[in-house]
Amino acid sequence: MLPPNKNPRKMKVSMKVNYLTPYVLTTAFACMIAGCQKNETSSESQEIPELDAGYTLAFGLYTADKPSEVVAQFRPVLDELEDSLSANLEQPVSIKLDISSSYEKGIEQLAQGNVDFARLGPASYILAKNKNENLKLLAMESNKGKKTFSGIIAIHRDSNLATLEDLAGKDFAFGDKRSTIGRYLSQRLLQQAGVRAKDLKSYDYLGRHDAVAAAVGTKKFHAGALKESTFKKMKAKGTPIKALITFPNITKPWVVSDKLPTEVALALKKSLLEMTSPQALQALGKQGFLDGSFDDYNSIQLAMDSNSAFFE
C-alpha cells in the first residue's frame, strides 16, 4: 500500500532500474526470494508484495522509427498504465521504457525475460514465440475497432510506375529483415506479382520505416515498403512520395514475459483492455486494445513460411 504523503508518480524519479531483470523490487524483497528455490511455474502462485518502494516494470520496444518519436508515442500510454496498475495492485507502479536498437535485440529482450512486457510487430511476435513458447499475448491494438491496419509500397511522387509488375528491373528498399510490412508481407506481394529478388535491379534492408520513406523520396530507390502511419507522417513533412499499393496487416501485439507473476500479468491485461484515455490512445494512434490469440497471426505465419519463394 502507499505510505503516507507519497505519490507514485514522483517516486519513480528516484528509482533505479536494472533491465537485466524482468522486474525490480526492493533490495529486501530481492534478498528474500534469492534464498528460496523456485521451479519454472513458481510465478503462477507468487503473491504481489506490499512494499512502500512500489513495483517497477520494464517495457520493451525496438526502433522501427526515430527513437525520440517512439518515446513521444508511448510515454502517455505507459503513464496511463502506471495509474491503472497502481490502483489495481494497490501500490505504486512505475514503468521504465527499454528501447532496443534493432528488431533482433528487442525480440531477445522479451524472449529472455529481460523486459516484463513489450509491443512487437506481428512477425517479431512469431519469432519471439519460436524462441520462448511460454510468452503470452496480453492484447492487440485496435484500429477503429478492427485488428488490421495498412502497409504501403511507396514510390516517388513523380514516378510513372503503376503496378507491382512494373517493379521488375527497379531498385527496392525493404525495412528490417524481421519486419512484417518491411519484409515478409511486401516480399510475398512481389512474389505473387511475379517479381522475385532476382528480378529486381537491386534491393536493400534499411531498418526503419522512416529511412525507407526518405530513400524513396530522394530517388535512391524506385520503391519501398513501410507502414501507413509513417508514410503519412513523412509525406506531411514534405517527403515527395505516393502510394503504389496499400495492403492489410494485423495490428501489433502487446506480449508479456513468462517470468512476470501471473497476478501482475492479469492486471496488466485488464488495464490495457480497459484503457480509454484520449490522450494516451491519440499518442499511440489507436482506439484502444482488443483481446486476441496467437491464431490471429496465422496469415503472417504463412507469409513467413513461404518467404523462401521470393528468393528462388
Side-chain angles (χ1 to χ4, degrees), residues 128-136 258:
K129 283 280 284 187
N130 289 340
K131 291 177 178 291
N132 183 350
E133 63 180 10
N134 295 318
L135 297 177
K136 302 295 183 184
D258 59 324

Side-chain angles (χ1 to χ4, degrees), residues 77-85 95 117 268 271-272 275:
V77 178
L78 300 183
D79 288 344
E80 183 69 18
L81 282 177
E82 285 178 339
D83 291 341
S84 178
L85 286 170
I95 302 175
F117 68 115
L268 189 53
S271 294
L272 284 171
M275 184 178 293

Side-chain angles (χ1 to χ4, degrees), residues 133-199:
E133 63 180 10
N134 295 318
L135 297 177
K136 302 295 183 184
L137 179 66
L138 289 169
M140 301 171 63
E141 293 175 358
S142 171
N143 182 30
K144 299 178 181 178
K146 298 180 179 180
K147 295 180 178 180
T148 58
F149 70 109
S150 296
I152 300 283
I153 291 184
I155 56 178
H156 192 274
R157 183 174 57 201
D158 300 330
S159 175
N160 59 4
L161 296 171
T163 67
L164 289 176
E165 289 82 359
D166 293 338
L167 294 174
K170 302 299 189 292
D171 304 306
F172 198 99
F174 295 106
D176 190 273
K177 289 184 178 181
R178 293 162 184 79
S179 172
T180 312
I181 288 172
R183 176 186 177 176
Y184 293 109
L185 292 182
S186 55
Q187 289 181 356
R188 180 170 174 79
L189 286 170
L190 288 170
Q191 184 267 325
Q192 289 175 334
V195 181
R196 292 180 168 83
K198 64 182 178 61
D199 300 314

